[in-house]
Amino acid sequence: MDRRTLMRRSAAVAGGAALTGLAGQAHAADEPAPGESSPLERAGGATIAPSDARYPGLTTGNNQRFVARPEYVKMIKSSGDAVRALSDAIKAGKRVSVRSGGHCFADFVCHPDAKVILDFSEMTAVGYDPSLRAFSVEPGARLLNVYEALYKGWGVTIPGGTCYSVGIGGHIAGGGYGLLSRRNGLVVDHLYAVEVVVASASGEVKVVRATREAGDPNRDLWWAHAGGGGGNFGLVTRYWFRSPGATGSTPGNQLIQPPSTVLVSAVGIPWSQLDQQGFTRLVKNYGAWFEANSAADNKNRHLSSIMNISSQANGVIGLFTQVDATVPGASQLLDEYLAAITAGVGATVKALDKPNGELPALPQLAAARQLPWLQATRLIATSNSTLNDPAVRGAHKSAYLRKNFTDTQVAALYAALTDPNYKNARTMAILFSYGGQVNAVAPDATAYAQRSSAFKLLFQTFWNDPAQDDTHLGWIRGMYGKFFAETGGVPGLNGQSDGCYINYPDSDMADPKINTSGVPWHALYYKDNYARLQQVKKRWDPADVFRHSLSVAPAK
């Protein structure tokens, strides 16, 4: 192993030591990444067949509803390794699927037609590339590891999600957002470049680098990866991040800096104190506050909040809030927000002393506490009892809302969550704060089209017994259809609602028996950007090598 490769691997293990230029060395477009001369890089990752003891654990992801039976799983360790693996699969006529962290909600990776799974979870390096003035991150790196590496090494971060074990590969391709997004925008708003292994119509495989520079002939490939969804155009082997407007050559000035400290609060609203009127007031209070504070330059964009509306069977509705503690009046902002959300509800808030859907028990935050940002990020990220369940099965549906809930929607939600025939404590509708700097970017500037929303919804339910699949799928489909009954059973476009989030994929949107709106699935996820995504697909994946149940189709 040469010294450069050894140090790059050490960067991943050490969680982001400041190894300038080693974990993302720039190279010419259409050329393999450096390091291919070493025996380790040439050997590549393991090839895991059905007889291997590792096989069962690598043929499914977080959602145990979806299990593949590929001929083999190929672990990828470098760009050159990815080139060889893809070339071999294409020559053998094998259908491939792609995985980074394994958190895909749908069957994009694990489906019956997948003959080869290309797994990038061993590519985890994080580093700084001085030639691009950008931070490089490999696709298998998990979110919390990326936050740790970037912050400890250089005092910077990306505004990504709260679940610690999500892989960067898919998170970024679909947009990426989290508790800093109202303050700093989406992760793709800081994406400077991407390295992708692509396949031509004849099956030729090569490495391409694409940047956001206006004169880059490959810029369309960067654009597509800034929100166009994972598994569509090629194999991402590296992302580079540099915030727009960054100047100079100091690494710490090239990417956003998180707040040094944040105010965090977690409270519960007991279901036992809520009737339908109180529930309606609570939910509409949340919607009203974020609708009023969704503008890009809104002074309250430094506050983000998650309301976990668990089913009545759980016993409590959870509210987690984070405020940049360094802005003037942070404590007053938090107090006024909590008062606005609970006004007129008729319930007394309490400590969140039990797990609440994707929120852990956080009794220590009943009174707001000021914590270092990284500590607060670890706290919310690592304690998700639902997603840490290795046997969990789930169903998920999403929506963006530009305006507050309608009476019909709240009534449908209340009826579903209090249904006496469906008492599942692991059922919820999660309201994620949105807007702020997310809405500062034009809808066509990146492939991510939803740039005018106030908040986002994630409807989900979890269970363990495969025999209960029909029961739980029937419940969530029925609830979602009633919630959006006024727009054909799906979130309509450019009105009160604004489609769906591709990182919360739901193949029901492509089923005309379920989606009766007449709005095609791709419009719900990509809106007017889909035609351009099809052109990118035609250029970079004309043979449609990379495809799944909601993949972009090449333009004809």
Side-chain angles (χ1 to χ4, degrees):
M1 185 186 302
D2 61 23
R3 179 176 179 273
R4 177 179 58 199
T5 301
L6 176 62
M7 292 186 72
R8 187 167 68 90
R9 294 299 178 201
S10 297
V13 175
L19 302 177
T20 302
L22 298 178
Q25 196 77 271
H27 56 277
D30 302 348
E31 292 295 329
E36 299 305 330
S37 60
S38 75
L40 177 62
E41 296 288 3
R42 286 199 303 272
T47 298
I48 299 170
S51 58
D52 194 302
R54 295 169 290 180
Y55 181 87
L58 295 172
T59 54
T60 188
N62 177 263
N63 191 343
Q64 299 301 301
R65 284 176 56 206
F66 307 114
V67 180
R69 293 288 181 265
E71 295 179 13
Y72 60 91
V73 177
K74 178 66 171 71
M75 305 303 295
I76 306 297
K77 289 194 172 183
S78 68
S79 299
D81 198 10
V83 168
R84 291 186 292 271
L86 181 60
S87 181
D88 289 346
I90 290 174
K91 289 176 181 177
K94 306 297 183 184
R95 174 87 174 266
V96 300
S97 66
V98 188
R99 175 169 58 212
S100 61
H103 269 259
C104 185
F105 285 167
D107 60 350
F108 289 5
V109 177
C110 299
H111 55 80
D113 296 329
K115 301 304 180 186
V116 178
I117 294 178
L118 303 177
D119 190 310
F120 286 80
S121 60
E122 291 188 288
M123 287 188 68
T124 59
V126 177
Y128 181 71
D129 183 344
S131 66
L132 293 185
R133 293 176 32 235
F135 292 90
S136 68
V137 182
E138 292 183 337
R142 305 300 178 105
L143 287 181
L144 186 56
N145 294 336
V146 173
Y147 302 152
E148 295 257 2
L150 291 176
Y151 191 63
K152 291 179 179 179
W154 299 276
V156 299
T157 193
I158 55 175
T162 58
C163 186
Y164 79 98
S165 58
V166 166
I168 278 287
H171 185 67
I172 306 309
Y177 80 100
L179 290 170
L180 293 181
S181 289
R182 280 173 50 81
R183 176 185 185 265
N184 297 114
L186 300 174
V187 179
V188 294
D189 298 336
H190 304 271
L191 180 65
Y192 177 73
V194 61
E195 179 182 87
V196 191
V197 176
V198 298
S200 69
S202 63
E204 178 189 359
V205 177
K206 65 180 180 179
V207 180
V208 176
R209 189 179 70 196
T211 74
R212 68 174 178 233
E213 298 293 344
D216 188 337
N218 300 332
R219 189 178 189 276
D220 62 339
L221 192 60
W222 164 85
W223 180 89
H225 282 89
N232 276 314
F233 308 101
L235 306 175
V236 176
T237 50
R238 187 174 286 105
Y239 292 106
W240 284 271
F241 297 98
R242 189 212 302 164
S243 296
T247 59
S249 58
T250 302
N253 294 337
Q254 306 310 311
L255 198 55
I256 62 167
Q257 298 176 356
S260 58
T261 58
V262 291
L263 276 173
V264 286
S265 163
V267 296
I269 298 94
W271 264 105
S272 61
Q273 298 180 25
L274 288 176
D275 56 14
Q276 185 166 357
Q277 182 178 356
F279 177 88
T280 300
R281 182 68 183 267
L282 176 67
V283 173
K284 284 200 167 187
N285 283 349
Y286 186 98
W289 198 93
F290 284 102
E291 181 183 351
N293 291 276
S294 63
D297 59 352
N298 185 271
K299 63 184 180 66
N300 295 329
R301 65 185 181 277
H302 299 281
L303 180 148
S304 293
S305 189
I306 301 170
M307 180 180 283
N308 202 96
I309 310 177
S310 288
S311 72
Q312 193 175 52
N314 180 278
V316 67
I317 292 171
L319 181 66
F320 177 87
T321 309
Q322 176 177 296
V323 184
D324 180 347
T326 67
V327 300
S331 295
Q332 182 179 352
L333 172 58
L334 176 60
D335 291 343
E336 291 176 351
Y337 169 76
L338 294 175
I341 300 304
T342 56
V345 171
T348 302
V349 299
K350 53 172 284 188
L352 191 62
D353 54 8
K354 61 180 291 188
N356 180 250
E358 292 199 11
L359 293 175
L362 296 166
Q364 71 274 35
L365 300 182
R369 294 181 62 186
Q370 185 168 317
L371 296 173
W373 169 79
L374 189 57
Q375 286 187 13
T377 300
R378 291 193 197 108
L379 177 65
I380 187 64
T382 58
S383 305
N384 188 326
S385 60
T386 297
L387 293 183
N388 287 339
D389 178 355
V392 74
R393 305 170 76 81
H396 314 265
K397 295 180 180 294
S398 69
Y400 296 92
L401 289 193
R402 301 172 69 244
K403 298 179 181 179
N404 202 353
F405 298 94
T406 67
D407 290 338
T408 299
Q409 289 171 341
V410 179
L413 187 59
Y414 181 82
L417 295 176
T418 60
D419 184 351
N421 297 313
Y422 188 78
K423 296 183 177 180
N424 181 0
R426 293 196 293 174
T427 294
M428 67 213 74
I430 307 177
L431 311 184
F432 294 103
S433 57
Y434 226 62
Q437 284 296 295
V438 175
N439 293 347
V441 178
D444 60 353
T446 64
Y448 190 99
Q450 285 86 358
R451 296 288 188 167
S452 59
S453 296
F455 55 100
K456 180 188 293 184
L457 289 91
L458 173 60
F459 305 90
Q460 55 186 8
T461 187
F462 298 99
W463 66 100
N464 293 106
D465 186 355
Q468 297 178 357
D469 283 4
D470 289 345
T471 296
H472 298 286
L473 289 170
W475 177 86
I476 197 169
R477 285 168 174 163
M479 180 275 298
Y480 193 73
K482 291 176 183 177
F483 190 93
F484 291 112
E486 297 170 340
T487 50
V490 300
L493 300 175
N494 300 314
Q496 181 248 1
S497 55
D498 201 27
C500 308
Y501 180 37
I502 192 59
N503 273 0
Y504 299 156
D506 174 17
S507 56
D508 281 355
M509 297 300 96
D511 186 343
K513 295 179 181 178
I514 298 174
N515 175 4
T516 61
S517 67
V519 179
W521 71 266
H522 52 77
L524 294 173
Y525 288 106
Y526 299 119
K527 300 180 68 176
D528 294 337
N529 286 341
Y530 186 67
R532 184 174 173 185
L533 286 169
Q534 287 186 288
Q535 293 296 332
V536 178
K537 178 79 168 182
K538 181 180 180 180
R539 178 185 178 190
W540 295 107
D541 183 24
D544 203 18
V545 171
F546 302 99
R547 61 190 189 275
H548 48 69
S549 56
L550 294 178
S551 57
V552 174
K556 296 181 180 179

